[in-house]
Structures are given as structure tokens and as C-alpha cells.
Amino acid sequence: MGEVLPEESPFPLTEVDKWILSQTDEEFRCHDWEDLKNVIENNDLSVLKRKPSDLRRYMKWTAETKAQYGSMTNYLLTHRLPQAWGTPPFTPASLIPFEDTSDFKVLINDWPYGLEPGIRHIVVWLRTPIPTDAKTGDMVPESRALCEDFVKKYFVDSLGPGGEKQVLWFKNWVALQSVRALEHIHVLVNNVDNDTIKRWTEERPQLRN
């Protein structure tokens, strides 16, 4: 399969995506830590972007994966997530997100945003739904508090004093999600060693070109 054209994208492209596809990697400016903090603080998540070459590869890979597995959900359940989860609709051990460790899986993001060196992109997948506002697609306050508490206990506290300065998190609005059938949040960590990331994810980070 050749390169996927923007009009043939296997998922909805934002205006930012379309702009990125008009660029080269040399023209692209990676997100640095201060930029990410501002984006997340302002909930301006639509501006998060991948490198042009990564976005093209992601579009191609997504199209091929959907053709082979039928959906991104099927691929993830086959290759990346616990077999014990079965297929949707799931029956979580707890209806409260993050309460039971069997209901979530922490993995390195296979297709991270375009980030400065030293910043890692992690995804926490859940089989317990995180309630969102039906109108906006964004989290309700109770959901945000649950996620905040989980990120602090799982990631921040394990880094020791000052750990809160090395961790950011967000949950894409529903309209921005490329894998909508599986609940997930994104975690970004800065200057965290590979051994710690392996302890969190049971995966060792791979270098990307």
C-alpha cells in the first residue's frame, strides 16, 4: 500500500494535521516541555501534532491495520492489551476508573507526538469508562479528579521530590481520539530514565528516527 493521501485518511484530520502534512520534518518544530504545559493548561489539545513523516506513517499504518484487523480496537486487544479483557463491552473488576489494577494497562505510545528529546509519551488504557460531558466530549470534574489522583500515585510519587515537575497528563476530547472504542489517557514524562519507564510499562523505550 502506498502513501495515504489526506482525503483518504483512516481517521479525521484536524486543520493542524493538514497543515503538518504540508511540511517537511526540517520545517517542523517539536513540542518542548514549556509548550506542552501551556497546551495542557489551556486544554488546547487540538494543536498537539506529530512530525510530518510520523503522521504519514501513522496514517498508512492505521489504514493497513484496519484493513487487516477490522478496527484499531481489535489490533490493540490482540497485540497490546490483556487477553483477559475480552472484547467490548468489557466487564471491569471495578466501575471506578483506576481502582483495580486489572482494569488498566500502562504502555509506551507506539505513535507519539513530535516531542523534544527526553520527553516520553505513555498511554494508560482502561476497560473502565471515564465519564465525559455529552455536549463537549471533555471530562467531567469528577473524572478529572480521578485521573489526577491516579497519575500522582502511579507516576509522580514514584519519582520522588519534584516529580510533579516531570509529569503531565491529558485526555483527548472525544472528537480528537483516533481510537474511540477504548478508554485511555495520555501521560508525558520529562527526563525520566529508561529503567523507570520499563517499571511503569513493562516495556523498554525504543529509539525513533
Side-chain angles (χ1 to χ4, degrees), residues 92-110:
S94 172
L95 295 179
I96 301 174
F98 310 110
E99 184 175 70
D100 194 290
T101 57
S102 70
D103 287 334
F104 65 85
K105 181 68 174 177
V106 182
L107 295 172
I108 296 170
N109 190 348
D110 294 327

Side-chain angles (χ1 to χ4, degrees), residues 117-133:
I119 303 174
R120 301 288 189 179
H121 189 170
I122 293 168
V123 180
V124 184
W125 298 95
L126 303 92
R127 61 173 173 173
T128 309
I130 297 176
T132 57
D133 185 290

Side-chain angles (χ1 to χ4, degrees), residues 23-205:
Q23 295 184 340
T24 64
D25 281 2
E26 290 71 28
E27 294 170 321
F28 178 79
R29 187 177 72 84
C30 291
H31 295 288
D32 61 26
W33 196 244
E34 287 302 313
D35 180 36
L36 291 168
K37 286 196 292 186
N38 289 332
V39 167
I40 293 170
E41 181 179 342
N42 295 319
N43 204 27
D44 192 17
L45 304 177
S46 63
V47 305
L48 291 171
K49 51 195 179 292
R50 295 178 174 87
K51 286 171 52 178
S53 59
D54 282 345
L55 179 55
R56 292 186 185 96
R57 283 197 292 263
Y58 183 50
M59 290 167 60
K60 181 174 183 291
W61 178 83
T62 300
E64 292 172 344
T65 300
K66 286 184 174 180
Q68 181 175 354
Y69 292 91
S71 69
M72 297 299 296
T73 298
N74 289 342
Y75 167 82
L76 289 164
L77 289 171
T78 300
H79 293 287
R80 301 289 275 142
L81 297 174
Q83 297 297 303
W85 284 15
T87 57
F90 300 120
T91 304
S94 172
L95 295 179
I96 301 174
F98 310 110
E99 184 175 70
D100 194 290
T101 57
S102 70
D103 287 334
F104 65 85
K105 181 68 174 177
V106 182
L107 295 172
I108 296 170
N109 190 348
D110 294 327
W111 296 97
Y113 294 111
L115 308 172
E116 286 286 337
I119 303 174
R120 301 288 189 179
H121 189 170
I122 293 168
V123 180
V124 184
W125 298 95
L126 303 92
R127 61 173 173 173
T128 309
I130 297 176
T132 57
D133 185 290
K135 292 183 178 179
T136 66
D138 201 2
M139 286 181 291
V140 297
E142 295 81 3
S143 298
R144 191 172 294 277
L146 281 171
C147 293
E148 189 77 48
D149 185 59
F150 168 77
V151 169
K152 181 180 185 302
K153 289 178 179 177
Y154 194 94
F155 297 99
V156 174
D157 290 352
S158 68
L159 294 174
E164 70 280 358
K165 297 178 181 178
Q166 295 175 265
V167 181
L168 299 170
W169 73 273
F170 64 93
K171 183 181 187 298
N172 270 328
W173 321 319
V174 173
L176 296 176
Q177 295 173 0
S178 57
V179 185
R180 298 185 183 182
L182 289 173
E183 193 65 90
H184 58 287
I185 66 169
H186 297 262
V187 179
L188 302 167
V189 298
N190 192 27
N191 294 323
V192 173
D193 63 270
N194 286 348
D195 288 341
T196 298
I197 291 177
K198 184 178 180 182
R199 186 171 71 249
W200 287 336
T201 65
E202 300 178 343
E203 300 181 297
R204 183 164 288 280

